[in-house]
């Protein structure tokens, strides 16, 4: 069987996980890895038995036998790496967000269009089996016309302050997944966004110019309302719930517990807390999204999630930030 030769750029939290997943996919050959950290490169090379290792991703891009790259480096490096990888004719899987400024996003998307390579953006939640099923049920009319989406998205603990400072802030780093989930589930586009938010979890996040607690109301073009609530710290674990309410019913998911033991006695009824964080919660989704990327490249198919989705969700983040700063509802058309 022909295997797609893949290289990974960035071997932090998410890069290591993708490396392990790619290693387990039959149609892929994890041929090369790269990071600016020697420690990261050497430990992943040893764990996964990879010989081709680079401390400068450009050397990897110069290897004509590498057909595709998976970009998992820090957000502020994505746009530049996309441009260079596209001009080296490598197919690209890139972690969200594409970049933090719309100019960089447009530049990166332009180089993808010119080179004609496949571009796949890592909105992993679209590949979660439960969310995929919910989307299919909504599409087939099981809940009628969607009127409301209630998205709860709370992390178990805030990231480091260094990460916060380079992440683009809550809306571009974290809520961006929820913006994409709203578009994905409702098959609809945003019309207006209103935000109320502050830093209740850690004042240092506020001092760094960010927020950690947010309530967001989005009016979609159809008139459906989306209510997103975010926190950087849910003490009971990773809280990921979506409910879509429509004219003929509703559909929702439950959190994924650490195990399915269910205790009931005269004093209490107990289910285990949710799994700790994204690597555990979206384990299957991450495998499925990378498999889909590999398959799109091998079968010459258009990726189901790409540059335009990244751009719209980034603009929704801009609208959210503007709404917070100006304390008013912001029309999506104001940020285009
Ligand atoms: N889809 C998701 O669920 C999800 C989850 C977490 C992070 N992310 C995204 O993935 C990206 C990485 O996040 P993370 O949490 O793994 O961060 P991280 O800080 O753990 O890892 C980033 C890695 O990139 C490396 N790096 C930085 N500049 C580089 C360069 N020029 N060349 C090669 N390597 C470089 C760093 O040394 C580090 O090892 C971010 O863009 C983040 O938004 C997505």
């Amino acid at each position: 069987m022909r295997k797609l030769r893949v290289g990974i750029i960035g071997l932090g939290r998410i890069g290591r996980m993708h490396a392990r997943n790619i290693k387990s996919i039959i149609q892929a050959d994890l041929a090369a890895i790269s990071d600016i950290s020697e420690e990261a490169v050497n430990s992943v090379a040893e764990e996964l038995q990879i010989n081709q290792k680079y401390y400068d991703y450009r050397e990897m891009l110069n290897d004509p036998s590498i057909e595709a790259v998976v970009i998992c480096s820090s957000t502020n490096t994505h746009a530049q790496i996309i441009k260079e990888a596209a001009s080296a004719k490598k197919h690209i899987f890139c972690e969200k967000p594409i970049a933090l400024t719309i100019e960089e996003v447009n530049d990166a998307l332009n180089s993808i269009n010119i080179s004609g390579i496949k571009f796949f953006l890592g909105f992993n939640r679209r590949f979660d089996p439960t969310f995929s099923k919910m989307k299919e049920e909504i599409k087939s009319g099981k809940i009628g016309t969607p009127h409301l989406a209630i998205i709860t998205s709370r992390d178990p603990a805030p990231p480091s302050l260094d990460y916060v400072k380079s992440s683009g802030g809550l809306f571009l780093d974290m809520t961006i997944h929820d913006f994409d989930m709203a578009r994905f589930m409702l098959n609809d586009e945003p019309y207006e966004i209103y935000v109320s938010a502050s830093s209740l979890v850690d004042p240092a996040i506020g001092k760094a110019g960010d927020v950690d607690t947010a309530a967001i109301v989005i009016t979609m073009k159809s008139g459906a309302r989306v209510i997103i609530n975010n926190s950087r710290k849910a003490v009971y674990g990773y809280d990921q719930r979506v409910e879509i309410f429509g004219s003929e019913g509703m559909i929702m998911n439950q959190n994924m517990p650490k195990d399915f033991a269910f205790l009931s006695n005269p004093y209490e009824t107990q289910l285990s807390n949710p799994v700790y964080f994204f690597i555990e919660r979206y384990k299957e989704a991450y495998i499925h999204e990378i498999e889909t990327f590999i398959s799109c490249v091998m079968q010459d198919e258009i990726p189901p999630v790409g540059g335009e989705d990244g751009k719209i969700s980034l603009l929704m983040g801009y609208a959210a930030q503007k709404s917070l700063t100006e304390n008013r509802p912001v029309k999506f058309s104001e940020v285009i």
Side-chain angles (χ1 to χ4, degrees):
M1 177 195 283
R2 189 177 106 68
K3 288 179 178 239
L4 188 78
R5 281 178 58 80
V6 182
I8 296 201
I9 300 169
L11 299 164
R13 287 188 304 176
I14 201 94
R16 283 168 198 248
M17 184 212 64
H18 282 310
R20 292 182 189 117
N21 288 347
I22 293 168
K23 191 78 185 168
S24 72
I25 295 173
I26 277 176
Q27 298 88 340
D29 173 13
L30 178 59
I33 55 174
S34 147
D35 197 294
I36 48 172
S37 152
E38 283 192 28
E39 188 282 320
V41 171
N42 292 336
S43 66
V44 175
E46 191 181 327
E47 180 193 332
L48 300 178
Q49 300 293 297
I50 312 290
N51 299 324
Q52 234 179 300
K53 40 185 197 171
Y54 300 98
Y55 307 114
D56 181 346
Y57 67 85
R58 292 181 181 94
E59 290 174 27
M60 179 193 282
L61 297 181
N62 282 336
D63 177 348
S65 77
I66 300 292
E67 299 165 277
V69 291
V70 172
I71 303 174
C72 305
S73 46
S74 324
T75 295
N76 57 359
T77 66
H78 292 183
Q80 181 62 27
I81 300 178
I82 291 171
K83 283 200 292 183
E84 291 177 45
S87 70
K89 299 278 183 205
K90 312 294 184 199
H91 299 289
I92 300 171
F93 174 102
C94 182
E95 265 309 335
K96 48 55 58 176
I98 298 174
L100 297 179
T101 70
I102 204 65
E103 292 75 19
E104 282 178 297
V105 171
N106 285 336
D107 229 24
L109 298 190
N110 202 23
S111 55
I112 291 162
N113 288 338
I114 291 168
S115 74
I117 48 108
K118 309 270 183 222
F119 181 78
F120 192 113
L121 191 65
F123 277 135
N124 54 296
R125 293 184 197 177
R126 289 181 180 228
F127 300 89
D128 175 66
T130 302
F131 291 144
S132 304
K133 178 171 177 184
M134 287 170 65
K135 159 99 177 171
E136 285 312 308
E137 302 286 32
I138 295 164
K139 215 165 119 189
S140 69
K142 293 266 180 69
I143 63 158
T145 306
H147 289 170
L148 288 166
I150 298 117
I151 301 177
T152 294
S153 181
R154 303 174 191 151
D155 283 355
S160 68
L161 266 188
D162 279 348
Y163 182 95
V164 166
K165 285 174 191 161
S166 69
S167 69
L170 187 87
F171 306 127
L172 302 189
D173 181 52
M174 184 172 160
T175 325
I176 198 161
H177 281 291
D178 308 313
F179 294 142
D180 185 64
M181 183 54 67
R183 293 181 59 242
F184 175 68
M185 284 290 177
L186 300 178
N187 196 26
D188 201 355
E189 297 298 336
Y191 170 71
E192 188 178 81
I193 298 186
Y194 179 63
V195 172
S196 176
S198 60
S199 57
L200 301 180
V201 171
D202 184 354
I205 291 179
K207 275 203 191 113
D210 199 3
V211 291
D212 54 38
T213 306
I216 301 164
V217 179
I218 306 171
T219 304
M220 301 300 276
K221 282 189 175 155
S222 68
R225 300 305 201 268
V226 177
I227 300 155
I228 299 173
N229 73 87
N230 290 143
S231 170
R232 282 286 196 190
K233 188 175 180 186
V235 290
Y236 47 86
Y238 195 35
D239 195 351
Q240 295 283 289
R241 288 170 289 145
V242 174
E243 175 186 344
I244 312 293
F245 172 84
S247 58
E248 307 297 327
M250 73 95 173
I251 189 161
M252 64 188 281
N253 74 308
Q254 288 178 349
N255 274 323
M256 183 185 286
K258 284 181 191 143
D259 57 64
F260 289 92
F262 187 84
L263 167 79
S264 271
N265 66 24
Y267 318 105
E268 58 187 344
T269 295
Q270 234 185 57
L271 181 66
S272 296
N273 276 339
V275 290
Y276 182 66
F277 213 175
F278 58 90
I279 302 272
E280 300 95 319
R281 168 62 184 84
Y282 291 115
K283 195 168 181 235
E284 278 181 278
Y286 289 122
I287 293 173
H288 192 208
E289 73 171 350
I290 280 286
E291 281 174 345
T292 309
F293 168 63
I294 306 282
S295 158
C296 286
V297 174
M298 304 277 273
Q299 313 301 326
D300 193 18
E301 284 165 3
I302 297 171
V305 53
E308 205 49 32
D309 301 298
K311 187 169 163 176
I312 294 172
S313 53
L314 181 82
L315 290 171
M316 290 174 82
Y318 279 10
Q321 191 59 53
K322 193 171 171 66
S323 170
L324 179 64
T325 310
E326 299 177 12
N327 191 26
R328 66 174 179 93
V330 168
K331 293 206 171 29
F332 188 66
S333 57
E334 293 179 53
V335 294
I336 297 177

